[in-house]
Amino acid sequence: MNLPELAAFLKSRRARIRPADVGLPTGPRRRVPGLRREEVAQLAGLSADYYTELERGNGAQPSAQALAALARALRLNGDERDHLFHLAERPIPQAAHSPTAHVQPALLGLLDRLTTTPAQIITDLHETLAQNEPAAALLGRPPTTRGPAASFVYRWFTDPASRALYPAEDHPHHSRAFVADLRAVAARRGRDPEVAKMVSALRRRSEEFSDLWDIHDVALRRGDHKRIVHGSLGVIELDCYCLFSEDGRQRLLWFTAPPGSQGAAQLELLLVIGTQDLAANDGPDIRQR
């Protein structure tokens, strides 16, 4: 492993990111143009000492998981991420080029600036990749599971508890919208084994999904009016909008309400309540979009 080159590369990438780019306060006493080492460590979920040793060229060989976390924290593009793996003499995982492995830096940059409205980044299969605190308060934290169950669409048709996010009378609408969206994604991806596997599993496990799939409705879910059930605030009526990445495999979702509406007032209260009501729940957090 080329420790000096790895250290220099990490330092150069850290120096180019402004604190505001990742939602951190600038502060009056910064002696470096970019992020501090401890800030990178925090964003990557690593210890400050561990990251400092890496940047000094004294660290142990980082794992693939640590490299992926650093790539996200430092907003590396695809080529830079691959270069990081090469410097660490780690094979680039095949999944590193999937839409779930690397959040688009442009979408992350926008998410960092959305601090007062619920927003999150998902894949085209509705796997949550990143979210801000208002989104966590509104929708709950994303699951830690991998595979098909990481997809909200998959859970929607296989786990009845996931539907608690929406009023029961709205469930048929969301079912139709999810299936039409998935069919559009399947066509865009072509003969993608990941999509084929999910569709096959859903057809086996859900008669509702199978019936809707056979209707052949197709429509990307670019926006919607949603009623979301919140444990403390009741039903919140919001408008949900999507911004697609260039390749269409990731989406930035954000939720708003017209000024002066009840939904807007509830969003204001949501920022005050935060996730404290979720912490009081002893059961699993099932609310996910």
Side-chain angles (χ1 to χ4, degrees):
M1 180 172 63
N2 193 336
L3 284 174
E5 189 65 23
L6 175 64
F9 182 64
L10 289 172
K11 186 176 181 179
S12 69
R13 299 306 88 180
R14 174 171 65 86
R16 72 178 181 173
I17 301 177
R18 296 172 300 175
D21 294 337
V22 293
L24 295 174
T26 301
R29 300 180 61 183
R30 285 186 172 268
R31 294 180 295 176
V32 294
L35 298 179
R36 299 186 177 103
R37 289 171 175 168
E38 58 269 23
E39 290 170 337
V40 174
Q42 178 183 357
L43 291 170
L46 305 174
S47 74
D49 289 342
Y50 177 78
Y51 178 76
T52 298
E53 290 299 303
L54 281 178
E55 204 173 281
R56 288 175 176 171
N58 299 325
Q61 184 172 358
S63 65
Q65 291 81 1
L67 293 172
L70 285 170
R72 289 192 294 270
L74 293 170
R75 304 299 196 258
L76 304 187
N77 62 33
D79 291 333
E80 291 171 330
R81 178 201 57 222
D82 291 354
H83 183 61
L84 181 66
F85 273 81
H86 289 314
L87 291 176
E89 295 183 356
R90 286 285 188 182
I92 299 172
Q94 184 177 0
H97 295 285
S98 74
T100 64
H102 187 66
V103 186
Q104 295 287 339
L107 295 185
L108 268 179
L110 287 173
L111 179 65
D112 290 334
R113 287 165 172 76
L114 295 174
T115 58
T116 60
T117 188
Q120 62 184 17
I121 299 170
I122 66 171
T123 71
D124 54 357
L125 296 183
H126 296 256
E127 300 158 295
T128 302
L129 302 178
Q131 64 179 183
N132 62 14
E133 286 304 307
L138 177 67
L139 308 170
R141 300 289 184 185
T144 57
T145 56
R146 296 186 179 182
S151 164
F152 185 70
V153 173
Y154 185 86
R155 298 197 305 278
W156 179 262
F157 289 102
T158 61
D159 179 9
S162 68
R163 299 193 174 200
L165 181 65
Y166 299 121
E169 57 269 28
D170 296 350
H171 292 178
H173 163 74
H174 291 297
S175 293
R176 291 191 300 270
F178 280 137
V179 174
D181 183 83
L182 182 58
R183 183 171 282 282
V185 169
R188 279 189 169 194
R189 287 213 199 178
R191 297 181 180 274
D192 187 289
E194 184 182 18
V195 179
K197 181 179 179 181
M198 177 176 291
V199 171
S200 177
L202 285 173
R203 285 179 72 89
R204 289 194 310 269
R205 296 194 57 183
S206 170
E207 183 178 354
E208 179 191 18
F209 176 87
S210 187
D211 290 343
L212 289 171
W213 188 260
D214 288 337
I215 295 174
H216 289 268
D217 284 346
V218 55
L220 287 173
R221 203 169 192 181
R222 295 183 172 87
D224 205 350
H225 183 77
K226 297 186 177 185
R227 298 195 302 157
I228 295 175
V229 179
H230 187 272
S232 299
L233 302 178
V235 177
I236 308 176
E237 291 200 34
L238 300 170
D239 294 314
C240 177
Y241 299 99
C242 278
L243 176 65
F244 290 73
S245 63
E246 187 175 356
D247 61 7
R249 290 199 166 196
Q250 293 182 11
R251 309 170 183 184
L252 173 65
L253 306 183
W254 70 97
F255 298 82
T256 63
S261 67
Q262 182 179 353
Q266 288 171 303
L267 281 184
E268 291 290 335
L269 285 174
L270 184 71
L271 296 178
V272 176
I273 294 173
T275 57
Q276 62 184 356
D277 61 318
L278 301 181
N281 184 2
D282 292 333
D285 186 1
I286 60 174
R287 303 182 305 148
Q288 263 301 300
R289 263 193 28 268

